[in-house]
Every structure is written in structure tokens, then in C-alpha cells.
Amino acid sequence: MAYPEHVKGVLRSTALDPNPFIHDNILGALMGSPQEAIDHYKSDNGNIDHIQTTHIRQHTTGSSLVSLDKRLFQTLKRSVEQAISPPPAGSEWTKIPDLYGFFEHHVTLAIAETLLGSAIVENYPGIISDLWIHIEYTDHFFMGLPRFMIPKAYAARDRLLENIRIWSTKSQSLRQQNAVDTQWDAVAGSALLQEREKLYGDMPGHDEHGRAAQTLGLLYGGTSLTVPITFWYFFETVRNHTLHDRVLTEINTHSLPESSSYDFMKLTARPLLRSMHAETTRYYSSNLSVREVVAPEYALDAKYTIKKGTTVFIPNKYAGQFTAAWAQAKPQAVTKPLDTFWAERFMVSDQDGKRERFSDVGFSGNWTSFGGGEHK
């Protein structure tokens, strides 16, 4: 078991870098990025990674995030309503899969359409099933298994990349003609993806093949953790009557009847909903944070050192349930055992006890549910 001080040291030290694993294993082995593109990432000393992160943050904060939220909600709402609406008289009901399968389909569709536009989803209806085949074979790609050993996974990725290349070429052509809605376009997708296509299109090694691998990476990143966490968030809400009533009250309080929508910025700032999201990722996600030692050696503590080239894996599942460390960091956080779901685990009260707020202060090194990249 890695102790919190080990985790904090690894995540903060410049002697360890997430990018070698991202370049070779994620973009290369998993996303099928061309070698020329990977060589460009490596030769740029991390500058491309910084530019990419800055660009994504511009589109996932403030008014840009509000725009994406609204598009995602409306797409999800339309998709679900179509699926559960009563059939015409005399026809059979549409078969709905198990509840998790229902969430997986509709949330993935909403994310894909919000990011890439509706045309690719309509022209390539297999995008959802192929994406989840790809996601579920992640560890097999990381192990470098050849095509003949996992033909189903390679075939799904081939179809994903081929259709994204077609989408990329169409998007590029329309943008060059100034024939797109720059906020969101049915063919070219969101402003995030339109600008991202141009950003990468100007780099060496990023023809339609290099851009397609990058887009697949973004689509993977936007769904692989979001979809299961969305399901378990919902599941924990509806299985507890008291929690269900509290969540519904929060939602109804921030509804916008005039637009049949909600004030998402205020909702996501509510302490209970923030705590529930943090607890859901802590309890249900099994993601890894990965770093590679790039210095001659790294001192984990006074007893152990790690040599250059060693890959360090930090599993959220174990760190998130290491009771001794959590109890030391914040005793009230283990009022209920870490091997159970507790919606209020990340909530604290002000000194007068009248106001509750969300807080993850003190959990550094214990809570790494935010993902495996360089930035939270």
C-alpha cells in the first residue's frame, strides 16, 4: 500500500512525468496514433500537452461550459424521451436493455453528439457500441496484444478511426468554406472540436489519421469515467428515499421552467451534489494515475528509491479505501466506513453548524479519483 505522502510526492515531483505513458501507451497503443505524431509530442518537451490542456479548459469553464451543458442536457433529454415514449397504437414496445445499458447508450450518445455533432452519430450508429468495446479492451491494448489475439477490439477501433477521419475531413472542408456554425454545428461539432481540429491540423504528423486518434482520445476521455459514474450517482440516489428527496429538492429549486431546463452552474455548486459526485468517484471508479520516473532516480522515502524509466501506478480504488490514512487526514470522513457509500462524506459544517459546504481539503494523496492525467 502506498501511503498518502508517497502519492503526494509522486504527483507533485518534476522527477516523474505522466506524458511518456500518455504518448506511448494511451495515444500510441490505445488510440492508434501515427508514430510521426507521437514523435512530435516527445520532441516538443511537453509544450503540446500544455497547449492542449489550456485549450480544453477554455471550453470547459465559464460561458463555454454553460453552452456545452445546455447542449448535452437537451440532447440527453431528447434521446431518453424518444426511447421511453409510448409506441403508436397497435405496435410493440421498444425493448429497453438493463438500466446500466440504458444509461451507457443515452449518456454516450449525448456526449458524442455534443462534442462531434449529430451527423456522425446518425451516419455511424455503431459509434456507441464500438466505443465501449474499445474502452473495455483498454488493458489488452496496453499490454500490446497483437490484432489476431483481440480481433474484435481492433475491428471496433478501426471503424471508430475510419468514421472519425471521414468526419474530420468533412469538418475541415466546411470550416475552410466558412460554412459552419462556430458554436455548434451538426457536421463539424462543438466549438471545442472545431478549434481542436485546427490546432492539431497545423502540427507535424497530424493529417486526418493523427487528428482522428486525438479525437478518439477525447471521446474516450469524455465517456469512460463519466458514464459509469453517472449511473452509480443515479443508482445511489434512487435506492435511498431520504437522499432521493434531498436531491430532487435541489434540482427543483434550480429549475428554469421558461426554458424547460436547469441552472447547471448553481446545481453543480451545491454542497450535497458536489459531495455525492466526489464520493461516487471515490467509491466506484477504478482509474489509475500513472507517472514515469524521468530523473536518474526518485526517492520515494528514506528507505526506497525508484530508478529512471520505472512506471508508477496509483490505483484510486485502494487509495480511496485506505482507512488509516483517511482517519489521520480527517477523522469525521470515516464516520461511516470507506467500504460503503456515504453521500455526505465530503461535506463539512461551519463553526456555528448552520451552513454546510463541500470540502476536499486534507484528502490530497487519499483521493485521486479525478483521473490519470497531469491535471485534476
Side-chain angles (χ1 to χ4, degrees):
M1 170 63 69
Y3 290 90
E5 55 267 26
H6 294 153
V7 175
K8 287 188 285 187
V10 166
L11 294 179
R12 293 172 178 173
S13 176
T14 57
L16 296 102
D17 188 355
N19 290 317
F21 186 84
I22 292 172
H23 296 158
D24 290 324
N25 295 78
I26 296 180
L27 289 172
L30 184 57
M31 303 303 164
S33 186
Q35 188 60 46
E36 186 181 355
I38 296 173
D39 291 341
H40 178 61
Y41 304 142
K42 292 180 177 180
S43 67
D44 202 51
N45 296 318
N47 185 48
I48 297 303
D49 304 289
H50 173 74
I51 293 172
Q52 171 187 242
T53 301
T54 301
H55 179 247
I56 289 177
R57 284 178 173 171
Q58 290 173 350
H59 286 274
T60 54
T61 55
S63 60
S64 296
L65 177 60
V66 172
S67 178
L68 283 174
D69 282 342
K70 289 180 179 178
R71 174 69 58 178
L72 181 67
F73 174 74
Q74 292 301 330
T75 304
L76 182 62
K77 179 181 177 183
R78 184 202 71 226
S79 174
V80 171
E81 286 178 345
Q82 289 174 349
I84 65 175
S85 60
S91 62
E92 295 183 359
W93 281 88
T94 300
K95 181 181 178 181
I96 294 179
D98 63 274
L99 186 59
Y100 185 86
F102 185 83
F103 267 77
E104 182 178 274
H105 175 84
H106 292 287
V107 177
T108 305
L109 183 148
I111 293 171
E113 186 170 317
T114 297
L115 291 176
L116 302 178
S118 54
I120 187 173
V121 177
E122 294 167 359
N123 296 329
Y124 173 32
I127 187 172
I128 298 170
S129 58
D130 281 346
L131 179 61
W132 280 99
I133 291 172
H134 182 232
I135 291 171
E136 288 160 6
Y137 275 87
T138 295
D139 55 343
H140 295 74
F141 281 112
F142 281 169
M143 289 188 290
L145 296 183
R147 184 177 290 267
F148 75 88
M149 293 187 69
I150 48 171
K152 179 180 179 181
Y154 276 97
R157 191 180 72 178
D158 288 346
R159 289 189 294 268
L160 285 163
L161 289 172
E162 178 184 4
N163 281 276
I164 292 174
R165 285 195 296 268
I166 295 171
W167 165 85
S168 179
T169 302
K170 289 180 179 178
S171 173
Q172 184 180 44
S173 176
L174 289 173
R175 284 184 287 106
Q176 289 174 345
Q177 300 172 49
N178 293 320
V180 296
D181 183 331
T182 56
Q183 293 305 305
W184 187 87
D185 189 86
V187 176
S190 61
L192 168 60
L193 264 295
Q194 290 181 44
E195 292 180 14
R196 188 180 170 89
E197 282 284 292
K198 185 178 185 307
L199 175 69
Y200 279 98
D202 295 334
M203 297 179 190
H206 286 81
D207 57 7
E208 67 273 19
H209 295 273
R211 297 197 305 273
Q214 272 289 344
T215 298
L216 176 58
L218 188 64
L219 187 59
Y220 179 108
T223 53
S224 58
L225 186 60
T226 303
V227 171
I229 293 306
T230 300
F231 170 78
W232 289 114
Y233 192 114
F234 174 83
F235 177 82
E236 289 291 351
T237 301
V238 297
R239 75 195 293 243
N240 182 315
H241 293 300
T242 301
L243 183 60
H244 182 220
D245 291 343
R246 292 176 65 189
V247 170
L248 275 182
T249 298
E250 294 278 14
I251 292 173
N252 292 331
T253 301
H254 296 90
S255 66
L256 302 172
E258 65 278 6
S259 60
S260 300
S261 187
Y262 300 88
D263 189 327
F264 297 111
M265 297 302 285
K266 289 184 179 179
L267 271 175
T268 54
R270 299 302 301 157
L272 174 63
L273 303 186
R274 292 186 69 187
S275 179
M276 283 184 63
H277 181 265
E279 176 68 350
T280 305
T281 58
R282 180 201 69 83
Y283 186 64
Y284 282 108
S285 67
S286 299
N287 59 287
L288 298 169
S289 296
V290 184
R291 299 290 187 271
E292 182 176 308
V293 180
V294 293
E297 68 176 17
Y298 171 73
L300 188 65
D301 53 27
K303 187 176 181 181
Y304 298 103
T305 59
I306 309 173
K307 294 185 180 298
K308 182 176 182 179
T310 303
T311 302
V312 178
F313 294 88
I314 302 171
N316 164 66
K317 197 70 172 180
Y318 298 111
Q321 295 191 26
F322 187 19
T323 301
W326 280 70
Q328 184 177 7
K330 192 171 288 188
Q332 64 266 35
V334 293
T335 302
K336 294 187 179 181
L338 290 173
D339 61 357
T340 60
F341 180 92
W342 180 28
E344 295 87 356
R345 196 178 304 276
F346 289 81
M347 293 177 68
V348 296
S349 298
D350 288 341
Q351 291 183 345
D352 58 9
K354 295 180 180 180
R355 184 173 178 269
E356 290 186 316
R357 56 186 173 83
F358 169 85
S359 175
D360 59 359
V361 174
F363 294 132
S364 178
N366 293 288
W367 181 52
T368 57
S369 314
F370 42 82
E374 185 173 5
H375 303 272
K376 182 174 177 179

